[in-house]
Amino acid sequence: CKCNCIAFIFLSLGTGSNILSALQDLFWLLKSKVEKQLQIISVLQWVLTFLIMGIACTLILMYILCTDCWAIAALYLAWLVFDWNTPKKGGRRSQWVRNWTIWRYFRDYFPIRLVKTHNLLTTRNYIFGYHPHGIMGLGAFCNFSTEATGVSQKFPGIRPYLATLAGNFRMPILRDYLMSGGICPVNRDSIDYILSKNGNGNAIIIVVGGAAESLNCTPGKNSVTLKNRKGFVKLALRHGADLVPVYSFGENEVYKQVIFEEDSWGRWVQKKFQKHIGFAPCIFHGRGLFSSNTWGLLPYSKPITTVVGEPITIPKIDNPSQKDVDFYHSIYVDSLIKLFDKYKSKFGLPETEVLEVN
């Protein structure tokens, strides 16, 4: 009876080669599911870091101060005072953190790609203008604050510094986490230090449109806030740093948000926050944690392709005039539009698509 059962099982499964094939299919299916879950976890941890890590770490530190472990919090606060100006002096990057495996899962979730169009000289410094902002600047983070897309291999000898809100570096723990990825404050002191006292081969990535641009990002729309954003050009002139236009196709596709009209109460509130705090609160949603058909904080898995354009040679002018700034700003805008037009059809946009510059 037992032999008959074994024979029946083998007859049902077929030959040995069929059994092996079935087991291989099962293995790859399980591996694919595990990788997908790891991708979701990697993106979720970053979204939560972006939204709540600073506040959460501050509250935890305050709580620890009120417990028997207060000495630990006191030691960290003493270190914080001592280390306060480090973000303004190039930070404290960690190649180990930048190479974490979790960032490769983060990259593959969308997926995110970095496209190089020209070589960058290690004898020069650069300011990359990143467009568009999107809701969270996912492409900017993955490409320039991690090694997931191979930025150091594609641009050997170039040290990228992604610039973000200076307020983030006043948050305990979060500041150290950001610095480990090569992220710096987007303020004059920090940028001046990197471009003048940190040697050559530095590239500061500035999301030029900032919070104002994030208020208008929505799937299917390619627009940048740039016409009156000229401070980064003035910085480039003062330091003789070449300008590099960067456009990230798909950055606006990963979240959906409620767009308020210019004269509405919602836009008024957003602008007040932007003016006094530095960021604008957006009402947005992505997909749910367990299903892409529900709403949640996870971004939609849409491809993001970041194209780094041709550098614009900038002369060093200690005190650039407004005429100088306007001239090189117009060259930059034209270069960005040409970059967009050249690559738009390669990444899913129709030839008739026009980049809107506001």
Side-chain angles (χ1 to χ4, degrees):
C1 182
K2 189 179 293 184
C3 291
N4 289 338
C5 288
I6 294 172
F8 176 77
I9 291 170
F10 273 92
L11 286 171
S12 299
L13 290 172
T15 63
S17 61
N18 287 340
I19 296 172
L20 183 61
S21 177
L23 289 173
Q24 287 177 336
D25 290 343
L26 180 61
F27 171 77
W28 288 114
L29 180 63
L30 290 173
K31 184 180 178 182
S32 176
K33 286 186 175 180
V34 169
E35 286 187 348
K36 188 62 182 176
Q37 293 305 312
L38 289 172
Q39 290 169 13
I40 289 173
I41 291 169
S42 69
V43 175
L44 179 63
Q45 67 83 26
W46 189 86
V47 170
L48 293 177
T49 296
F50 182 90
L51 294 175
I52 66 171
M53 183 177 178
I55 295 173
C57 288
T58 302
L59 293 175
I60 290 171
L61 196 66
M62 292 171 62
Y63 171 75
I64 294 174
L65 280 171
C66 301
T67 68
D68 293 338
C69 298
W70 63 269
I72 297 174
L75 282 172
Y76 178 79
L77 288 173
W79 160 254
L80 192 63
V81 173
F82 175 78
D83 195 54
W84 190 253
N85 288 323
T86 297
K88 299 177 184 179
K89 297 181 179 180
R92 189 171 46 245
R93 74 174 55 217
S94 165
Q95 286 302 117
W96 176 66
V97 173
R98 287 175 61 88
N99 281 287
W100 277 355
T101 302
I102 195 171
W103 305 132
R104 294 198 287 276
Y105 288 116
F106 182 97
R107 171 199 67 196
D108 293 339
Y109 173 85
F110 296 93
I112 296 173
R113 290 176 55 209
L114 179 65
V115 177
K116 170 187 174 180
T117 62
H118 291 79
N119 292 325
L120 298 181
L121 299 175
T122 57
T123 55
R124 300 286 292 174
N125 283 325
Y126 301 91
I127 293 180
F128 287 18
Y130 184 92
H131 314 269
H133 184 285
I135 295 292
M136 296 185 183
L138 294 159
F141 170 79
C142 185
N143 286 308
F144 301 113
S145 294
T146 80
E147 295 296 332
T149 56
V151 63
S152 293
Q153 287 72 43
K154 291 177 180 176
F155 300 103
I158 301 298
R159 294 180 297 275
Y161 293 87
L162 177 61
T164 188
L165 290 175
N168 289 326
F169 296 89
R170 301 187 188 102
M171 301 284 189
I173 309 299
L174 175 63
R175 66 189 293 277
D176 302 288
Y177 189 41
L178 294 177
M179 284 194 292
S180 68
I183 300 176
C184 68
V186 62
N187 58 32
R188 181 170 172 175
D189 289 343
S190 177
I191 294 172
D192 282 347
Y193 183 91
I194 293 170
L195 294 180
S196 64
K197 299 179 181 179
N198 203 41
N200 295 322
N202 302 292
I204 298 179
I205 297 88
I206 300 177
V207 186
V208 178
E213 191 172 84
S214 69
L215 297 179
N216 295 314
C217 72
T218 187
K221 186 173 183 179
N222 288 282
S223 66
V224 296
T225 302
L226 183 56
K227 279 183 179 178
N228 297 315
R229 299 294 175 105
K230 300 180 181 180
F232 72 105
V233 178
K234 189 173 184 178
L235 281 169
L237 286 164
R238 289 180 63 247
H239 294 284
D242 293 349
L243 289 171
V244 182
V246 179
Y247 197 85
S248 211
F249 295 90
E251 185 72 65
N252 284 347
E253 307 299 317
V254 296
Y255 279 111
K256 298 176 181 178
Q257 76 159 318
V258 177
I259 305 293
F260 293 102
E261 296 296 329
E262 279 300 325
D263 296 327
S264 65
W265 67 269
R267 182 54 63 96
W268 180 84
V269 170
Q270 289 176 323
K271 287 186 174 181
K272 285 295 182 183
F273 264 84
Q274 179 189 338
K275 180 179 179 180
H276 296 292
I277 301 178
F279 73 93
C282 302
I283 300 177
F284 66 92
H285 74 84
R287 53 156 289 182
L289 182 59
F290 302 106
S291 171
S292 59
N293 297 321
T294 58
W295 287 10
L297 289 176
L298 277 176
Y300 293 105
S301 52
K302 303 288 185 179
I304 299 174
T305 306
T306 302
V307 184
V308 180
E310 182 178 4
I312 303 164
T313 303
I314 302 293
K316 188 177 187 303
I317 305 174
D318 291 334
N319 294 296
S321 65
Q322 190 60 48
K323 185 178 179 181
D324 294 326
V325 173
D326 291 342
F327 176 72
Y328 285 100
H329 182 268
S330 65
I331 293 176
Y332 178 86
V333 173
D334 289 342
S335 297
L336 179 65
I337 293 172
K338 288 177 182 176
L339 180 71
F340 177 84
D341 289 339
K342 182 177 180 179
Y343 289 93
K344 61 186 177 184
S345 61
K346 294 181 181 179
F347 302 119
L349 297 178
E351 283 290 347
T352 54
E353 185 73 18
V354 175
L355 178 62
E356 181 183 330
V357 180
N358 300 313

